[in-house]
Amino acid sequence: MAALSYIASMSGSAVVNAWRHRTMTVITVLIVSLMMTTLGMFLVVENALSVMIASLEEQVNLIIYLEDEAPPSDVLALRQELLDDARTISVEYVTKEQALERLRASFQDEPDLLQPLLDNPLPASLEVRSDDPEFLQSQASALLGNPIVEDIDLAQDVVDNLIRISQVATFLGYALGAGLALVALFVIGSAIRLTVYARRGEIEVLRLMGASDHFIRWPFLLEGVFFGLIGALVSSILVGIAYIWVHELLQQLISFLPVSLDITYLLRLILILALFGIAIGGLGSYLSVRRFLTI
Amino acid sequence: MIVLRNVSKVYDLRVTALDDVTLSIPKGDFVFLVGHNGAGKTTLLSLLVRADQASSGVVLVGGQDLALLKESEVPLLRRRFGIVFQDLKLFPKKTVAENVALAMQVQGCTGKRAHISAADALELVGLQHRASFLPGQISGGEQRKAAIARAIVHRPEIFIADEPTASLPPEAAWEITCLLMEVNRLGITTLVATHDRDVVDGFSRRVVALDNGRIARDVQIGKFMENGVNATT
Ligand SMILES: Nc1ncnc2c1ncn2[C@@H]1O[C@H](COP(=O)(O)OP(=O)(O)OP(=O)(O)O)[C@@H](O)[C@H]1O
Ligand SMILES: [Mg+2]
């Protein structure tokens, strides 16, 4: 209880201090919020990309185009062999007719274009789904020599690109986040320095009264944490809105898969922002107090 | 027990504030420290709490050589003191009670107990009815009492007051000095730097007179004026 009331009174003085230097407080809170919102946005984008990649990875197809003359028993054997592997999710047999049907469907708007096709030139195929790209890769090279196989199509480029984009985005996000975190540290440090300066008289008296470093630093650290938490609050709201918006966008983009709104993820995001705010605020004021509180 | 042995303090290699001062103050003693402006009274007091360090000589507080004190031990030394500053240094945005309680919190005492002790100290100086006032809302004499309450709330071993009666009307100065005697009766070693000749003359106590940083007189039960040495300006 006593410790609580002490912290309460100290937090109170942090708020009072923040109010006394309104302009600096507003600037500090704005910059800290901006920094943390940017960080949060990158986390949301990264999350969206990873959801997309996961859903697209499920669709990774190794398409094995079959020779027209391939004996059905060999095709069935190959299908079974693939199905027996645990890494295979499914194997779908697409007949020549189904292939033509799909082609027709995709050219619905221009049926004339397909009119001259009297003989069906499309091969039958096995579509293999797996979430293990390496497995598909090895199957692809192994099957190239198979006599019943006409051609192989490894439809992985899209995913590869997405993974690369996501890696770049993550890297950029962290680089930008780190840069902005430094700016936030500096700004919080400056704000704390200002309060230290404004209170240097009081600090000197406290020192003469025998106050420990710890006793004197506490309120300043709390003030820094207070800045960080306000930044976390503002950015949580903005990032939360952005998350819901991005979620809707994803839902439209990957309409074939239900993407549920992940509340746990959102809560974790807010927790990360809060912890980050506390860390940045505490560190910023700690460094500032160490440097400037030498009276 | 406070001991100064051949203590000198030179500021900026030019100003000699204290010059070869040797002085011993037993536990529980009451001492008036007198001398004109710039005689070195504040300097002497600041050496005791290690707000400054002697240029030469030895300063002992309770047998402890302050020159050997580690920086981390300075707060502990200061907590054994209660100080009334020349300019009081009350926190203007804190109430009288909060100002006094702060001295307890500095000692590591938490909120509620600090405020109970503060109320006791305010009662001792007769200021309980001003507890919730800001320092700016009370009279000069009451401000001194608040500063005294803050200095004794943690029952220090040594109480030092720098000009506690300066610019007060005689009756108020008298009242404050009576309060200082009361502090001393609690068993607290008391050192009072002052200009006020009426005060010193009115209370028969030990007087140490400084003149230009040197000890001019040290009279056990003394008067301000003696042997024609005028310690005031
Ligand atoms: N921090 C300092 N730097 C330089 N000189 C100082 C410093 N503090 C005090 N002095 C000088 O040391 C001398 C003694 O000063 P001190 O404050 O101890 O006098 P005092 O007896 O308290 O005077 P007063 O009655 O005016 O308070 C003075 O000449 C003063 O100018
Ligand atoms: Mg002085």
Side-chain angles (χ1 to χ4, degrees):
Chain A
M1 270 315 283
L4 264 183
S5 80
Y6 176 71
I7 288 183
S9 78
M10 284 299 168
S11 316
S13 80
V15 173
V16 169
N17 251 319
W19 176 247
R20 223 170 273 163
H21 306 284
R22 288 180 280 283
T23 320
M24 193 63 186
T25 302
V26 167
I27 293 173
T28 308
V29 164
L30 273 182
I31 290 181
V32 174
S33 304
L34 174 74
M35 182 277 292
M36 292 183 58
T37 305
T38 311
L39 179 84
M41 292 300 179
F42 267 97
L43 289 176
V44 166
V45 168
E46 195 199 346
N47 175 259
L49 282 172
S50 74
V51 167
M52 269 169 81
I53 289 166
S55 80
L56 283 172
E57 258 173 357
E58 282 214 336
Q59 293 190 77
V60 171
N61 286 342
L62 171 65
I63 306 173
I64 308 166
Y65 294 108
L66 300 163
E67 294 284 0
D68 283 355
E69 300 82 37
S73 59
D74 286 6
V75 172
L76 280 174
L78 176 58
R79 178 169 175 269
Q80 196 53 50
E81 189 188 318
L82 287 166
L83 273 175
D84 285 345
D85 197 297
R87 289 168 291 186
T88 305
I89 292 171
S90 69
V91 180
E92 196 190 345
Y93 181 67
V94 180
T95 64
K96 287 173 72 77
E97 288 72 32
Q98 284 167 335
L100 189 61
E101 208 45 53
R102 280 191 195 172
L103 193 65
R104 284 227 169 85
S106 62
F107 280 91
Q108 235 169 7
D109 301 337
E110 297 144 284
D112 299 346
L113 215 61
L114 293 177
Q115 217 53 52
L117 285 180
L118 296 172
D119 197 20
N120 182 356
L122 300 174
S125 62
L126 287 172
E127 290 184 358
V128 185
R129 295 210 302 146
S130 164
D131 51 14
D132 184 344
E134 273 172 35
F135 166 65
L136 293 177
Q137 189 70 58
S138 69
Q139 286 298 316
S141 21
L143 286 168
L144 265 179
N146 195 316
I148 64 166
V149 174
E150 187 198 87
D151 199 4
I152 294 279
D153 194 356
L154 192 58
Q156 221 196 332
D157 294 358
V158 181
V159 174
D160 279 348
N161 281 338
L162 257 179
I163 290 177
R164 223 165 292 131
I165 289 172
S166 131
Q167 279 167 348
V168 169
T170 307
F171 175 76
L172 275 183
Y174 286 143
L176 194 69
L180 283 167
L182 280 181
V183 173
L185 270 184
F186 178 77
V187 173
I188 290 176
S190 308
I192 298 300
R193 183 187 179 178
L194 198 73
T195 9
V196 168
Y197 185 75
R199 294 186 51 196
R200 65 196 183 287
E202 292 177 23
I203 292 165
E204 196 202 335
V205 180
L206 284 174
R207 283 220 190 282
L208 287 172
M209 286 164 73
S212 60
D213 281 351
H214 174 76
F215 184 90
I216 289 173
R217 285 175 184 174
W218 241 112
F220 296 105
L221 294 188
L222 266 178
E223 193 180 333
V225 168
F226 169 76
F227 282 130
L229 279 179
I230 297 240
L233 185 73
V234 173
S235 61
S236 289
I237 293 169
L238 294 177
V239 171
I241 292 169
Y243 177 69
I244 291 167
W245 182 72
V246 165
H247 170 262
E248 269 166 19
L249 199 75
L250 268 184
Q251 188 74 81
Q252 285 167 13
L253 229 59
I254 336 176
S255 44
F256 48 83
L257 266 179
V259 184
S260 61
L261 198 62
D262 193 344
I263 295 298
T264 350
Y265 174 75
L266 198 57
L267 289 178
R268 214 169 56 220
L269 197 67
I270 291 172
L271 186 70
I272 288 174
L273 289 175
L275 290 178
F276 199 74
I278 290 172
I280 288 279
L283 187 66
S285 50
Y286 177 75
L287 293 176
S288 182
V289 159
R290 277 206 54 160
R291 252 189 88 190
F292 300 111
L293 225 171
T294 49
I295 302 158
Chain B
M1 176 88 152
I2 296 167
V3 175
L4 279 80
R5 218 177 282 144
N6 308 109
V7 171
S8 294
K9 176 67 188 174
V10 182
Y11 285 113
D12 311 324
L13 302 172
R14 290 181 290 112
V15 186
T16 305
L18 289 177
D19 188 4
D20 198 26
V21 169
T22 296
L23 180 69
S24 161
I25 302 171
K27 199 170 181 315
D29 219 3
F30 187 108
V31 177
F32 281 121
L33 196 60
V34 301
H36 52 73
N37 285 112
K41 305 182 293 293
T42 301
T43 302
L44 195 155
L45 296 181
S46 72
L47 293 186
L48 296 181
V49 294
R50 256 247 340 224
D52 247 318
Q53 279 191 268
S55 310
S56 64
V58 181
V59 181
L60 300 169
V61 173
Q64 203 168 23
D65 186 342
L66 298 196
L68 304 178
L69 215 57
K70 277 185 244 139
E71 210 52 55
S72 60
E73 293 168 337
V74 171
L76 293 174
L77 168 80
R78 290 178 182 166
R79 287 181 216 174
R80 295 161 61 190
F81 282 84
I83 312 174
V84 175
F85 300 98
Q86 196 159 2
D87 54 353
L88 302 186
K89 297 192 197 292
L90 292 169
F91 289 65
K93 301 239 162 91
K94 288 187 189 294
T95 65
V96 167
E98 284 167 352
N99 265 286
V100 178
L102 187 62
M104 285 304 285
Q105 285 159 355
V106 162
Q107 303 277 329
C109 178
T110 47
K112 208 172 207 158
R113 275 185 41 219
H115 275 277
I116 292 172
S117 305
D120 286 346
L122 284 175
E123 201 172 326
L124 199 121
V125 301
L127 212 59
Q128 59 274 46
H129 59 300
R130 295 283 183 258
S132 58
F133 284 54
L134 292 175
Q137 297 169 330
I138 58 179
S139 76
E142 286 171 331
Q143 287 175 4
R144 314 262 162 144
K145 288 183 187 172
I148 292 170
R150 181 175 73 176
I152 59 164
V153 65
H154 58 291
R155 293 300 145 95
E157 292 168 40
I158 305 155
F159 173 91
I160 59 187
D162 200 352
E163 310 276 3
T165 59
S167 67
L168 281 184
E171 317 86 69
W174 191 265
E175 198 189 342
I176 293 290
T177 313
C178 284
L179 208 50
L180 300 179
M181 298 293 159
E182 218 169 298
V183 168
N184 182 233
R185 268 198 292 278
L186 295 171
I188 301 171
T189 311
T190 307
L191 247 105
V192 181
T194 184
H195 268 120
D196 199 326
R197 95 165 51 188
D198 293 336
V199 159
V200 177
D201 288 345
F203 295 82
S204 280
R205 292 303 176 125
R206 179 176 171 192
V207 177
V208 174
L210 283 173
D211 183 26
N212 251 325
R214 292 183 148 270
I215 293 199
R217 283 174 302 118
D218 184 347
V219 191
Q220 279 306 319
I221 304 286
K223 298 231 164 196
F224 199 67
M225 300 268 296
E226 212 168 74
N227 307 331
V229 180
N230 189 349
T232 56
T233 35

